[in-house]
Amino acid sequence: MVYEAISIKTIKGDFRVMKYLDYKGYNGTIEYSEEDSLLFGKILGIRGLISYEGNTGKDLEIDFKEAIDAYLADCKSDGIKPEKSFKGSFNVRISSALHQKAALLAMESKVSLNTFVAESIRSRLMKEI
């Protein structure tokens, strides 16, 4: 069973709801195993599997950071470039009709399609906050 996680961190004594952990540009999930009474997660947006766990929110956060630090240290010692999640580019597959409408509206607005898409995403994200 997976629940939306609640961080143990406090802000002025109040609990803060967190959906993801963030450290050094990496994001990780927060999940709960009822069977094991354990919090766990994995790093998002990379091909490799980096997981972490903890009995409390603080333990989970510490193991999350240690897992990323170990990954980065391993990459450095092996002389390989670490994967970065969410590099800022991605492919989007949409219908040709939607592509056409977006491209025409971008041209009318005198912006690139890339800028139009970025602004559209930004606008939707602002509605979620």
Side-chain angles (χ1 to χ4, degrees), residues 2 10 12 20 24-25 29 43 49-50 53 62 71 74 78 90 104-105 112 123:
V2 177
T10 60
K12 296 182 183 175
Y20 304 100
K24 293 186 177 181
T29 63
I43 305 300
L49 175 61
I50 302 173
E53 62 182 44
I62 290 167
Y71 169 67
D74 288 346
D78 293 344
F90 61 96
L104 291 173
L105 189 53
S112 68
S123 175

mmCIF file with all atom_site columns, all heavy atoms in Angstrom, residues 2 10 12 20 24-25 29 43 49-50 53 62 71 74 78 90 104-105 112 123:
data_model
loop_
_atom_site.group_PDB
_atom_site.id
_atom_site.type_symbol
_atom_site.label_atom_id
_atom_site.label_alt_id
_atom_site.label_comp_id
_atom_site.label_asym_id
_atom_site.label_entity_id
_atom_site.label_seq_id
_atom_site.pdbx_PDB_ins_code
_atom_site.Cartn_x
_atom_site.Cartn_y
_atom_site.Cartn_z
_atom_site.occupancy
_atom_site.B_iso_or_equiv
_atom_site.pdbx_formal_charge
_atom_site.auth_seq_id
_atom_site.auth_comp_id
_atom_site.auth_asym_id
_atom_site.auth_atom_id
_atom_site.pdbx_PDB_model_num
ATOM 1   N N   . VAL A 1 2   ? 0.580  2.245  -0.817  1.00 0.00 ? 2   VAL A N   1
ATOM 2   C CA  . VAL A 1 2   ? 1.376  3.456  -0.933  1.00 0.00 ? 2   VAL A CA  1
ATOM 3   C C   . VAL A 1 2   ? 0.522  4.639  -0.497  1.00 0.00 ? 2   VAL A C   1
ATOM 4   O O   . VAL A 1 2   ? -0.620 4.778  -0.902  1.00 0.00 ? 2   VAL A O   1
ATOM 5   C CB  . VAL A 1 2   ? 1.869  3.665  -2.379  1.00 0.00 ? 2   VAL A CB  1
ATOM 6   C CG1 . VAL A 1 2   ? 2.632  4.962  -2.504  1.00 0.00 ? 2   VAL A CG1 1
ATOM 7   C CG2 . VAL A 1 2   ? 2.730  2.495  -2.803  1.00 0.00 ? 2   VAL A CG2 1
ATOM 8   N N   . THR A 1 10  ? 9.621  19.911 10.632  1.00 0.00 ? 10  THR A N   1
ATOM 9   C CA  . THR A 1 10  ? 8.607  20.870 11.056  1.00 0.00 ? 10  THR A CA  1
ATOM 10  C C   . THR A 1 10  ? 9.007  22.266 10.620  1.00 0.00 ? 10  THR A C   1
ATOM 11  O O   . THR A 1 10  ? 10.183 22.585 10.483  1.00 0.00 ? 10  THR A O   1
ATOM 12  C CB  . THR A 1 10  ? 8.399  20.856 12.578  1.00 0.00 ? 10  THR A CB  1
ATOM 13  O OG1 . THR A 1 10  ? 9.619  21.185 13.208  1.00 0.00 ? 10  THR A OG1 1
ATOM 14  C CG2 . THR A 1 10  ? 7.893  19.518 13.059  1.00 0.00 ? 10  THR A CG2 1
ATOM 15  N N   . LYS A 1 12  ? 8.021  25.911 12.040  1.00 0.00 ? 12  LYS A N   1
ATOM 16  C CA  . LYS A 1 12  ? 7.340  26.605 13.129  1.00 0.00 ? 12  LYS A CA  1
ATOM 17  C C   . LYS A 1 12  ? 6.379  25.672 13.851  1.00 0.00 ? 12  LYS A C   1
ATOM 18  O O   . LYS A 1 12  ? 5.253  26.027 14.159  1.00 0.00 ? 12  LYS A O   1
ATOM 19  C CB  . LYS A 1 12  ? 6.614  27.837 12.604  1.00 0.00 ? 12  LYS A CB  1
ATOM 20  C CG  . LYS A 1 12  ? 7.555  28.886 12.034  1.00 0.00 ? 12  LYS A CG  1
ATOM 21  C CD  . LYS A 1 12  ? 6.826  30.104 11.582  1.00 0.00 ? 12  LYS A CD  1
ATOM 22  C CE  . LYS A 1 12  ? 7.818  31.071 10.953  1.00 0.00 ? 12  LYS A CE  1
ATOM 23  N NZ  . LYS A 1 12  ? 7.172  32.221 10.378  1.00 0.00 ? 12  LYS A NZ  1
ATOM 24  N N   . TYR A 1 20  ? 7.860  14.615 -2.514  1.00 0.00 ? 20  TYR A N   1
ATOM 25  C CA  . TYR A 1 20  ? 9.159  14.165 -3.006  1.00 0.00 ? 20  TYR A CA  1
ATOM 26  C C   . TYR A 1 20  ? 10.268 14.721 -2.138  1.00 0.00 ? 20  TYR A C   1
ATOM 27  O O   . TYR A 1 20  ? 10.125 15.769 -1.521  1.00 0.00 ? 20  TYR A O   1
ATOM 28  C CB  . TYR A 1 20  ? 9.388  14.638 -4.449  1.00 0.00 ? 20  TYR A CB  1
ATOM 29  C CG  . TYR A 1 20  ? 8.311  14.214 -5.385  1.00 0.00 ? 20  TYR A CG  1
ATOM 30  C CD1 . TYR A 1 20  ? 7.306  15.091 -5.755  1.00 0.00 ? 20  TYR A CD1 1
ATOM 31  C CD2 . TYR A 1 20  ? 8.275  12.926 -5.880  1.00 0.00 ? 20  TYR A CD2 1
ATOM 32  C CE1 . TYR A 1 20  ? 6.281  14.692 -6.597  1.00 0.00 ? 20  TYR A CE1 1
ATOM 33  C CE2 . TYR A 1 20  ? 7.254  12.518 -6.729  1.00 0.00 ? 20  TYR A CE2 1
ATOM 34  C CZ  . TYR A 1 20  ? 6.257  13.413 -7.081  1.00 0.00 ? 20  TYR A CZ  1
ATOM 35  O OH  . TYR A 1 20  ? 5.255  13.012 -7.898  1.00 0.00 ? 20  TYR A OH  1
ATOM 36  N N   . LYS A 1 24  ? 20.646 17.963 -4.191  1.00 0.00 ? 24  LYS A N   1
ATOM 37  C CA  . LYS A 1 24  ? 21.642 18.085 -5.263  1.00 0.00 ? 24  LYS A CA  1
ATOM 38  C C   . LYS A 1 24  ? 21.038 17.886 -6.656  1.00 0.00 ? 24  LYS A C   1
ATOM 39  O O   . LYS A 1 24  ? 21.655 17.300 -7.540  1.00 0.00 ? 24  LYS A O   1
ATOM 40  C CB  . LYS A 1 24  ? 22.794 17.109 -5.042  1.00 0.00 ? 24  LYS A CB  1
ATOM 41  C CG  . LYS A 1 24  ? 23.624 17.432 -3.808  1.00 0.00 ? 24  LYS A CG  1
ATOM 42  C CD  . LYS A 1 24  ? 24.846 16.550 -3.685  1.00 0.00 ? 24  LYS A CD  1
ATOM 43  C CE  . LYS A 1 24  ? 25.669 16.962 -2.486  1.00 0.00 ? 24  LYS A CE  1
ATOM 44  N NZ  . LYS A 1 24  ? 26.871 16.148 -2.327  1.00 0.00 ? 24  LYS A NZ  1
ATOM 45  N N   . GLY A 1 25  ? 19.816 18.362 -6.850  1.00 0.00 ? 25  GLY A N   1
ATOM 46  C CA  . GLY A 1 25  ? 19.170 18.264 -8.159  1.00 0.00 ? 25  GLY A CA  1
ATOM 47  C C   . GLY A 1 25  ? 18.506 16.929 -8.433  1.00 0.00 ? 25  GLY A C   1
ATOM 48  O O   . GLY A 1 25  ? 17.991 16.715 -9.529  1.00 0.00 ? 25  GLY A O   1
ATOM 49  N N   . THR A 1 29  ? 11.108 9.563  -4.436  1.00 0.00 ? 29  THR A N   1
ATOM 50  C CA  . THR A 1 29  ? 9.763  9.302  -3.946  1.00 0.00 ? 29  THR A CA  1
ATOM 51  C C   . THR A 1 29  ? 9.776  9.075  -2.435  1.00 0.00 ? 29  THR A C   1
ATOM 52  O O   . THR A 1 29  ? 10.815 8.796  -1.837  1.00 0.00 ? 29  THR A O   1
ATOM 53  C CB  . THR A 1 29  ? 9.153  8.054  -4.614  1.00 0.00 ? 29  THR A CB  1
ATOM 54  O OG1 . THR A 1 29  ? 9.945  6.908  -4.271  1.00 0.00 ? 29  THR A OG1 1
ATOM 55  C CG2 . THR A 1 29  ? 9.079  8.210  -6.122  1.00 0.00 ? 29  THR A CG2 1
ATOM 56  N N   . ILE A 1 43  ? 15.082 7.155  -6.572  1.00 0.00 ? 43  ILE A N   1
ATOM 57  C CA  . ILE A 1 43  ? 15.384 8.377  -7.311  1.00 0.00 ? 43  ILE A CA  1
ATOM 58  C C   . ILE A 1 43  ? 14.600 8.361  -8.620  1.00 0.00 ? 43  ILE A C   1
ATOM 59  O O   . ILE A 1 43  ? 14.545 7.344  -9.314  1.00 0.00 ? 43  ILE A O   1
ATOM 60  C CB  . ILE A 1 43  ? 16.896 8.492  -7.612  1.00 0.00 ? 43  ILE A CB  1
ATOM 61  C CG1 . ILE A 1 43  ? 17.712 8.394  -6.320  1.00 0.00 ? 43  ILE A CG1 1
ATOM 62  C CG2 . ILE A 1 43  ? 17.210 9.779  -8.366  1.00 0.00 ? 43  ILE A CG2 1
ATOM 63  C CD1 . ILE A 1 43  ? 17.422 9.449  -5.300  1.00 0.00 ? 43  ILE A CD1 1
ATOM 64  N N   . LEU A 1 49  ? 18.866 2.349  -10.748 1.00 0.00 ? 49  LEU A N   1
ATOM 65  C CA  . LEU A 1 49  ? 18.013 2.239  -9.569  1.00 0.00 ? 49  LEU A CA  1
ATOM 66  C C   . LEU A 1 49  ? 18.813 2.631  -8.336  1.00 0.00 ? 49  LEU A C   1
ATOM 67  O O   . LEU A 1 49  ? 19.805 1.993  -7.988  1.00 0.00 ? 49  LEU A O   1
ATOM 68  C CB  . LEU A 1 49  ? 17.474 0.814  -9.399  1.00 0.00 ? 49  LEU A CB  1
ATOM 69  C CG  . LEU A 1 49  ? 16.672 0.566  -8.130  1.00 0.00 ? 49  LEU A CG  1
ATOM 70  C CD1 . LEU A 1 49  ? 15.424 1.455  -8.086  1.00 0.00 ? 49  LEU A CD1 1
ATOM 71  C CD2 . LEU A 1 49  ? 16.290 -0.896 -8.016  1.00 0.00 ? 49  LEU A CD2 1
ATOM 72  N N   . ILE A 1 50  ? 18.393 3.706  -7.711  1.00 0.00 ? 50  ILE A N   1
ATOM 73  C CA  . ILE A 1 50  ? 18.960 4.135  -6.443  1.00 0.00 ? 50  ILE A CA  1
ATOM 74  C C   . ILE A 1 50  ? 17.790 4.183  -5.471  1.00 0.00 ? 50  ILE A C   1
ATOM 75  O O   . ILE A 1 50  ? 16.845 4.951  -5.654  1.00 0.00 ? 50  ILE A O   1
ATOM 76  C CB  . ILE A 1 50  ? 19.623 5.525  -6.539  1.00 0.00 ? 50  ILE A CB  1
ATOM 77  C CG1 . ILE A 1 50  ? 20.722 5.530  -7.606  1.00 0.00 ? 50  ILE A CG1 1
ATOM 78  C CG2 . ILE A 1 50  ? 20.178 5.937  -5.183  1.00 0.00 ? 50  ILE A CG2 1
ATOM 79  C CD1 . ILE A 1 50  ? 21.307 6.906  -7.876  1.00 0.00 ? 50  ILE A CD1 1
ATOM 80  N N   . GLU A 1 53  ? 15.767 3.919  2.393   1.00 0.00 ? 53  GLU A N   1
ATOM 81  C CA  . GLU A 1 53  ? 14.685 3.576  3.315   1.00 0.00 ? 53  GLU A CA  1
ATOM 82  C C   . GLU A 1 53  ? 14.959 4.179  4.681   1.00 0.00 ? 53  GLU A C   1
ATOM 83  O O   . GLU A 1 53  ? 16.059 4.650  4.958   1.00 0.00 ? 53  GLU A O   1
ATOM 84  C CB  . GLU A 1 53  ? 14.539 2.063  3.430   1.00 0.00 ? 53  GLU A CB  1
ATOM 85  C CG  . GLU A 1 53  ? 15.759 1.370  3.979   1.00 0.00 ? 53  GLU A CG  1
ATOM 86  C CD  . GLU A 1 53  ? 15.603 -0.139 4.025   1.00 0.00 ? 53  GLU A CD  1
ATOM 87  O OE1 . GLU A 1 53  ? 15.115 -0.722 3.050   1.00 0.00 ? 53  GLU A OE1 1
ATOM 88  O OE2 . GLU A 1 53  ? 15.986 -0.707 5.058   1.00 0.00 ? 53  GLU A OE2 1
ATOM 89  N N   . ILE A 1 62  ? 17.903 11.118 5.537   1.00 0.00 ? 62  ILE A N   1
ATOM 90  C CA  . ILE A 1 62  ? 19.344 10.876 5.693   1.00 0.00 ? 62  ILE A CA  1
ATOM 91  C C   . ILE A 1 62  ? 19.805 9.801  4.716   1.00 0.00 ? 62  ILE A C   1
ATOM 92  O O   . ILE A 1 62  ? 20.817 9.973  4.024   1.00 0.00 ? 62  ILE A O   1
ATOM 93  C CB  . ILE A 1 62  ? 19.673 10.484 7.154   1.00 0.00 ? 62  ILE A CB  1
ATOM 94  C CG1 . ILE A 1 62  ? 19.506 11.697 8.073   1.00 0.00 ? 62  ILE A CG1 1
ATOM 95  C CG2 . ILE A 1 62  ? 21.086 9.911  7.268   1.00 0.00 ? 62  ILE A CG2 1
ATOM 96  C CD1 . ILE A 1 62  ? 19.509 11.359 9.563   1.00 0.00 ? 62  ILE A CD1 1
ATOM 97  N N   . TYR A 1 71  ? 26.291 7.503  -4.816  1.00 0.00 ? 71  TYR A N   1
ATOM 98  C CA  . TYR A 1 71  ? 26.188 7.400  -6.281  1.00 0.00 ? 71  TYR A CA  1
ATOM 99  C C   . TYR A 1 71  ? 27.172 8.361  -6.953  1.00 0.00 ? 71  TYR A C   1
ATOM 100 O O   . TYR A 1 71  ? 27.917 7.977  -7.865  1.00 0.00 ? 71  TYR A O   1
ATOM 101 C CB  . TYR A 1 71  ? 24.760 7.697  -6.720  1.00 0.00 ? 71  TYR A CB  1
ATOM 102 C CG  . TYR A 1 71  ? 24.584 7.870  -8.207  1.00 0.00 ? 71  TYR A CG  1
ATOM 103 C CD1 . TYR A 1 71  ? 24.754 6.799  -9.081  1.00 0.00 ? 71  TYR A CD1 1
ATOM 104 C CD2 . TYR A 1 71  ? 24.262 9.113  -8.743  1.00 0.00 ? 71  TYR A CD2 1
ATOM 105 C CE1 . TYR A 1 71  ? 24.607 6.968  -10.452 1.00 0.00 ? 71  TYR A CE1 1
ATOM 106 C CE2 . TYR A 1 71  ? 24.104 9.283  -10.108 1.00 0.00 ? 71  TYR A CE2 1
ATOM 107 C CZ  . TYR A 1 71  ? 24.282 8.207  -10.957 1.00 0.00 ? 71  TYR A CZ  1
ATOM 108 O OH  . TYR A 1 71  ? 24.131 8.375  -12.311 1.00 0.00 ? 71  TYR A OH  1
ATOM 109 N N   . ASP A 1 74  ? 30.756 7.159  -6.440  1.00 0.00 ? 74  ASP A N   1
ATOM 110 C CA  . ASP A 1 74  ? 31.042 6.011  -7.308  1.00 0.00 ? 74  ASP A CA  1
ATOM 111 C C   . ASP A 1 74  ? 31.285 6.456  -8.741  1.00 0.00 ? 74  ASP A C   1
ATOM 112 O O   . ASP A 1 74  ? 32.214 5.975  -9.404  1.00 0.00 ? 74  ASP A O   1
ATOM 113 C CB  . ASP A 1 74  ? 29.896 4.990  -7.277  1.00 0.00 ? 74  ASP A CB  1
ATOM 114 C CG  . ASP A 1 74  ? 29.809 4.227  -5.972  1.00 0.00 ? 74  ASP A CG  1
ATOM 115 O OD1 . ASP A 1 74  ? 30.769 4.277  -5.170  1.00 0.00 ? 74  ASP A OD1 1
ATOM 116 O OD2 . ASP A 1 74  ? 28.755 3.576  -5.740  1.00 0.00 ? 74  ASP A OD2 1
ATOM 117 N N   . ASP A 1 78  ? 34.799 6.023  -10.726 1.00 0.00 ? 78  ASP A N   1
ATOM 118 C CA  . ASP A 1 78  ? 34.788 5.228  -11.957 1.00 0.00 ? 78  ASP A CA  1
ATOM 119 C C   . ASP A 1 78  ? 35.043 6.080  -13.201 1.00 0.00 ? 78  ASP A C   1
ATOM 120 O O   . ASP A 1 78  ? 35.106 5.553  -14.313 1.00 0.00 ? 78  ASP A O   1
ATOM 121 C CB  . ASP A 1 78  ? 33.453 4.492  -12.111 1.00 0.00 ? 78  ASP A CB  1
ATOM 122 C CG  . ASP A 1 78  ? 33.248 3.416  -11.055 1.00 0.00 ? 78  ASP A CG  1
ATOM 123 O OD1 . ASP A 1 78  ? 34.235 3.028  -10.396 1.00 0.00 ? 78  ASP A OD1 1
ATOM 124 O OD2 . ASP A 1 78  ? 32.093 2.963  -10.892 1.00 0.00 ? 78  ASP A OD2 1
ATOM 125 N N   . PHE A 1 90  ? 12.926 17.188 -23.313 1.00 0.00 ? 90  PHE A N   1
ATOM 126 C CA  . PHE A 1 90  ? 12.176 15.945 -23.396 1.00 0.00 ? 90  PHE A CA  1
ATOM 127 C C   . PHE A 1 90  ? 11.372 15.943 -24.684 1.00 0.00 ? 90  PHE A C   1
ATOM 128 O O   . PHE A 1 90  ? 11.092 16.995 -25.266 1.00 0.00 ? 90  PHE A O   1
ATOM 129 C CB  . PHE A 1 90  ? 11.257 15.758 -22.177 1.00 0.00 ? 90  PHE A CB  1
ATOM 130 C CG  . PHE A 1 90  ? 10.215 16.833 -22.015 1.00 0.00 ? 90  PHE A CG  1
ATOM 131 C CD1 . PHE A 1 90  ? 8.924  16.649 -22.496 1.00 0.00 ? 90  PHE A CD1 1
ATOM 132 C CD2 . PHE A 1 90  ? 10.515 18.010 -21.364 1.00 0.00 ? 90  PHE A CD2 1
ATOM 133 C CE1 . PHE A 1 90  ? 7.962  17.628 -22.339 1.00 0.00 ? 90  PHE A CE1 1
ATOM 134 C CE2 . PHE A 1 90  ? 9.563  19.001 -21.200 1.00 0.00 ? 90  PHE A CE2 1
ATOM 135 C CZ  . PHE A 1 90  ? 8.275  18.811 -21.686 1.00 0.00 ? 90  PHE A CZ  1
ATOM 136 N N   . LEU A 1 104 ? 0.987  27.405 -34.645 1.00 0.00 ? 104 LEU A N   1
ATOM 137 C CA  . LEU A 1 104 ? 0.385  28.620 -35.207 1.00 0.00 ? 104 LEU A CA  1
ATOM 138 C C   . LEU A 1 104 ? 0.174  29.680 -34.130 1.00 0.00 ? 104 LEU A C   1
ATOM 139 O O   . LEU A 1 104 ? 0.455  30.863 -34.353 1.00 0.00 ? 104 LEU A O   1
ATOM 140 C CB  . LEU A 1 104 ? -0.932 28.290 -35.907 1.00 0.00 ? 104 LEU A CB  1
ATOM 141 C CG  . LEU A 1 104 ? -0.797 27.468 -37.193 1.00 0.00 ? 104 LEU A CG  1
ATOM 142 C CD1 . LEU A 1 104 ? -2.165 27.043 -37.712 1.00 0.00 ? 104 LEU A CD1 1
ATOM 143 C CD2 . LEU A 1 104 ? -0.028 28.248 -38.260 1.00 0.00 ? 104 LEU A CD2 1
ATOM 144 N N   . LEU A 1 105 ? -0.293 29.265 -32.955 1.00 0.00 ? 105 LEU A N   1
ATOM 145 C CA  . LEU A 1 105 ? -0.494 30.221 -31.872 1.00 0.00 ? 105 LEU A CA  1
ATOM 146 C C   . LEU A 1 105 ? 0.843  30.793 -31.397 1.00 0.00 ? 105 LEU A C   1
ATOM 147 O O   . LEU A 1 105 ? 0.949  31.984 -31.088 1.00 0.00 ? 105 LEU A O   1
ATOM 148 C CB  . LEU A 1 105 ? -1.242 29.561 -30.706 1.00 0.00 ? 105 LEU A CB  1
ATOM 149 C CG  . LEU A 1 105 ? -1.711 30.475 -29.583 1.00 0.00 ? 105 LEU A CG  1
ATOM 150 C CD1 . LEU A 1 105 ? -2.529 31.657 -30.116 1.00 0.00 ? 105 LEU A CD1 1
ATOM 151 C CD2 . LEU A 1 105 ? -2.527 29.686 -28.584 1.00 0.00 ? 105 LEU A CD2 1
ATOM 152 N N   . SER A 1 112 ? 8.870  31.206 -29.969 1.00 0.00 ? 112 SER A N   1
ATOM 153 C CA  . SER A 1 112 ? 9.157  29.874 -30.503 1.00 0.00 ? 112 SER A CA  1
ATOM 154 C C   . SER A 1 112 ? 8.166  28.867 -29.923 1.00 0.00 ? 112 SER A C   1
ATOM 155 O O   . SER A 1 112 ? 7.549  29.112 -28.883 1.00 0.00 ? 112 SER A O   1
ATOM 156 C CB  . SER A 1 112 ? 10.581 29.449 -30.138 1.00 0.00 ? 112 SER A CB  1
ATOM 157 O OG  . SER A 1 112 ? 10.671 29.232 -28.736 1.00 0.00 ? 112 SER A OG  1
ATOM 158 N N   . SER A 1 123 ? 2.257  27.836 -16.781 1.00 0.00 ? 123 SER A N   1
ATOM 159 C CA  . SER A 1 123 ? 0.921  28.313 -16.436 1.00 0.00 ? 123 SER A CA  1
ATOM 160 C C   . SER A 1 123 ? 0.117  27.228 -15.723 1.00 0.00 ? 123 SER A C   1
ATOM 161 O O   . SER A 1 123 ? -0.536 27.487 -14.713 1.00 0.00 ? 123 SER A O   1
ATOM 162 C CB  . SER A 1 123 ? 0.202  28.752 -17.713 1.00 0.00 ? 123 SER A CB  1
ATOM 163 O OG  . SER A 1 123 ? -1.131 29.103 -17.427 1.00 0.00 ? 123 SER A OG  1
#
